[in-house]
Every structure is written in structure tokens, then in C-alpha cells.
Amino acid sequence: MRAVTWQGKRDVRVENVPDPQIQEPTDAVIRVTSTGLCGSDLHLYEVLTPFMTPGDILGHEPIGIVEEVGAGVMDLQAGDRVVVPFQIACGDCWMCLTGLPTQCETTQVTGEGMGAALFGYTRLYGSVPGAQAEYLRVPQAQFGPIKIPEGPPDDRFVYLSDVLPTAWQAVRYAEIPEGGSIAVLGLGPIGDMACRIAQVRGAGRVFGVDLVPERLQRARERGVETFDLRSFDDEKELVAAIRDQTDGRGPDAVIDAVGTEAHGSAVARLVQNTSALLPRKLSGPMAERFSVDRLAALHTAIDLVRRGGTISLSGVYGGTADPLPLLTLFDKQIQIRMGQANVRRWTDDILPYLTDEDPLGVDDFATHRVPLSDAPHAYEMFQRKQEGAIKVLMKP
């Protein structure tokens, strides 16, 4: 089959690789009909390279048709249409039953000290072949895949794999009071969708911050009060402008949907880039022990949120040596919630919004639909924020 493989920093290629096979009774194999390019894929493209191996298959946002199931998969059969969550979880362990499938005790990558295995996401999360491919082996298929109806286009449901539950969890973790205010830092796919979910869940005012004109315009068209980072000399001016809209207090909650891609510390960027250039035996340990993030977005969130408010982190951070302003966090009584989205915990809540009325705008959420063979260009375009690329779907 054809699949998108990682070959090095900013080097992805579409190559012929072996077809996936059933290996365990709880496996399924699906034929992928659409697969997303996620902002977190860009971390593999550039930042998390010490944890990658040439030939790794990328991607974790698939929708497709079941081709084959193992003997232990009772609720699926060939021909079923399914969305596959980005995390791999059993559904039966204590963590899964507690609503935390991203911490699944069956698939935890204990050798790396990490949570549940993820599709296409480094050795830290199990080195599981990813979903930017013609076919995908799905472990724990007795729990993971979400059956969806025939008829509507893939765009209606594909975001159940990641974008929708990640944005939904970000909003739920933000604990916005009824009619309250929220600021979303970063209007990429997750930030954009978080704004939409906050609106339908009753937020009174939704502020969106970004510096990409197409992202700002798209959010503005859906009623988000947008702030263009390019219009401010520094972060203090931005914070002051939003505070002026919230009686001087700041919003009740802030979602950081940017993560480590924020353009902040040059020193942090240097450390990231340096570790990526070291020999593989050295780069991984250095990244694990001494990695730091560009924390501009998180520091902005801490400054911006009102006292007693909540910060919800959905942007990916990978540092282990990051300094945080604990005095400010303590003094302002800020709550912080974060983590990979617990997909199956939220899908039943989300499905009622995926109707023909389309209140979340999923049917036209993608800005680009390209063949799988165009993946190298899609990655470069998305990473450089060119051609108005906000959400890219690939068709194998």
C-alpha cells in the first residue's frame, strides 16, 4: 500500500509499504477513505524528531471502511463505516472505565513512562503505524472505532477522530460559567473548533487570538471577537485590550490551543533544533531530560485569565525543563487542566451536533482536500501557513 512516511526533519514521503495484517484477535483492518493532517503532526515534522525513526508511518485522523476483523471483535464487521480515534484504548481497564482512555492501562507505553499508545506518533507512544495510508491496522478494535451511518460525506464525521473531541474537552476543561467569557489563543483547527463549541455550549463572549489573516477572518465570520497579534507591540498590549472588554478582569477562562509552536523564546527554539541535529543515541535522551518549550502562549494565558479563572491546555507541550511562574499561578488562584483528549468519553455528547443542520460547521471545515500523493506539499503548506491552509484532508 501507499503511506506517508517520516524520513527526517521536514522530510515526509509517500512510499510503498507492506499492507497491514490482523495480528491479534482484537485487531481490525480498515480501508482509509479520508485522513487528516493535524497540527500535532507538525511537531513530528520539526520538533519531536529525536523520537522518530525513518520510515515511521504518520497520521492519526482516519475514517474508512472495515475490511477485516479479528475473532475478538464482536461489534464490527466488514463493510462497516467507522471513525478511528487517535488513541488506542481497551475500554475495560480502570482508566478507561473512569473516562480516561488516553491513560489506558492496557496500551500504556510503560517503557517510555507515557500514557496510551497513539497512532503514528513517535516511539514515546508505541511506534504504532499511522493513518495517513491506504489501509490501517486498528488494535483494540473491540472498543476504539466509532460506527457511523452511510450517506453523509466523510467531512461530517472524520473530525470525531481528533479535532472534535480535543476541542470539546478543551471547552469542558475550561469550565466557562453560563454566559461567561473565554479567550482562545490560536485559531488553527483546534482553536477554531473550540470557539464554535464554546458558542453552542452557551458562552457569552468568545475572543480569538491569532496572527494569520485567514484564520482570523474565518473565526470572525462565525461571531468570534478576534484580536490580531500583529496589531500589538507586545503581549501586554494584547492582554490589556482583552481585559478592557471584560470589565478589567480578564476572561473567565483561556484555552491555549497553540502549544510549543508559539513563536516565543529563541533559546527554546535553539535547544529544540540542536537536539534534532544530534546523533539519534544522544538526541532522544537530551530531548527527554533537558527539553524546553516556547512558552509564549502559555505565559500569555496566565497573564490574561482573570483571577480565580481556568486555563485549559490543548496545545501540545513536550518540554521537561520548563520554568513556570508558580508565584503568579498561586497568587491568581488559577486552575489548569490539560491532556490528550479522551475521545470515546466525549463522542456520544458530540454526535447530536453532527446533523444536517451542521451547527459546528464541519461540512466545510476543511480548507484543502488533496490526494495522499500530495502529502509532502500539504505538510509544507500547512507548516508554513500558506495558501490559506487551516485544515487539510487527504484522500488515499
Side-chain angles (χ1 to χ4, degrees):
M1 70 170 182
R2 302 287 281 170
V4 180
T5 64
W6 184 93
Q7 298 298 334
K9 183 175 180 177
R10 301 193 192 118
D11 182 4
V12 300
R13 305 174 196 174
V14 181
E15 297 187 320
N16 288 314
V17 301
D19 290 347
Q21 306 288 330
I22 297 289
Q23 299 178 20
E24 301 289 342
T26 52
D27 286 353
V29 172
I30 72 164
R31 173 173 57 84
V32 178
T33 55
S34 293
T35 185
L37 174 53
C38 179
S40 58
D41 290 326
L42 297 182
H43 294 93
L44 313 183
Y45 192 63
E46 181 170 7
V47 177
L48 296 179
T49 57
F51 306 109
M52 299 294 290
T53 302
D56 283 350
I57 300 174
L58 302 173
H60 56 268
E61 297 186 348
I63 183 173
I65 307 299
V66 175
E67 293 281 304
E68 185 181 2
V69 297
V73 180
M74 302 302 175
D75 294 333
L76 293 180
Q77 60 184 357
D80 284 344
R81 189 184 189 198
V82 295
V83 174
V84 180
F86 69 88
Q87 70 215 198
I88 301 168
C90 72
D92 289 326
C93 69
W94 187 89
M95 285 290 182
C96 286
L97 295 174
T98 309
L100 294 170
T102 197
Q103 307 300 330
C104 175
E105 292 171 318
T106 300
T107 72
Q108 277 179 14
V109 187
T110 54
E112 299 289 347
M114 306 300 279
L118 309 179
F119 288 103
Y121 216 78
T122 80
R123 66 171 173 80
L124 294 178
Y125 289 100
S127 296
V128 182
Q132 290 169 5
E134 292 179 314
Y135 294 90
L136 176 69
R137 171 182 166 253
V138 181
Q140 304 297 328
Q142 82 287 350
F143 174 69
I146 305 158
K147 286 200 283 190
I148 54 172
E150 297 293 337
D154 283 358
D155 294 46
R156 180 74 57 85
F157 299 107
V158 67
Y159 305 114
L160 284 169
S161 60
D162 185 350
V163 173
L164 281 166
T166 297
W168 188 275
Q169 179 171 292
V171 173
R172 287 291 302 269
Y173 279 8
E175 297 185 342
I176 312 161
E178 182 68 28
S181 58
I182 184 165
V184 179
L185 306 182
L187 296 173
I190 302 302
D192 184 347
M193 186 57 73
C195 288
R196 302 180 187 201
I197 291 169
Q199 288 171 324
V200 301
R201 286 185 56 82
R205 301 185 74 177
V206 179
F207 307 106
V209 179
D210 208 295
L211 47 69
V212 180
E214 294 86 354
R215 294 180 175 185
L216 291 161
Q217 177 64 25
R218 180 163 142 133
R220 197 157 43 240
E221 289 172 353
R222 295 189 68 92
V224 177
E225 301 175 58
T226 59
F227 292 79
D228 187 341
L229 275 172
R230 299 168 302 169
S231 301
F232 302 93
D233 289 335
D234 55 34
E235 171 254 357
K236 296 294 183 184
E237 284 192 7
L238 168 69
V239 169
I242 299 178
R243 280 183 181 160
D244 284 346
Q245 300 297 314
T246 55
D247 299 322
R249 287 189 294 269
D252 297 306
V254 176
I255 291 175
D256 173 2
V258 178
T260 194
E261 284 196 295
H263 298 293
S265 166
V267 174
R269 185 179 183 87
L270 176 63
V271 172
Q272 291 171 345
N273 290 341
T274 299
S275 66
L277 295 173
L278 290 172
R280 189 164 303 278
K281 288 184 178 179
L282 298 177
S283 62
M286 177 181 174
E288 289 180 88
R289 294 179 59 194
F290 303 113
S291 60
V292 293
D293 290 299
R294 284 170 272 169
L295 294 174
L298 180 55
H299 282 286
T300 298
I302 293 168
D303 195 13
L304 176 59
V305 70
R306 69 162 170 81
R307 291 178 177 273
T310 301
I311 295 173
S312 174
L313 300 183
S314 63
V316 175
Y317 286 99
T320 58
D322 293 315
L324 287 175
L326 291 178
L327 174 62
T328 302
L329 290 166
F330 181 83
D331 180 66
K332 291 184 71 175
Q333 289 189 250
I334 294 170
Q335 299 181 76
I336 301 179
R337 295 199 70 183
M338 67 187 83
Q340 303 278 9
N342 297 290
V343 176
R344 291 304 302 269
R345 177 176 180 178
W346 309 117
T347 49
D348 287 347
D349 294 334
I350 298 167
L351 277 166
Y353 292 90
L354 304 183
T355 62
D356 288 341
E357 289 74 24
D358 194 18
L360 297 175
V362 294
D363 285 349
D364 59 1
F365 191 70
T367 55
H368 292 70
R369 297 170 182 82
V370 303
L372 192 70
S373 58
D374 285 354
H377 172 67
Y379 268 83
E380 181 179 10
M381 172 182 67
F382 190 35
Q383 196 264 347
R384 296 179 180 274
K385 300 178 176 64
Q386 296 173 338
E387 302 178 34
I390 298 174
K391 185 60 184 178
V392 180
L393 294 179
M394 294 183 278
K395 301 281 187 178

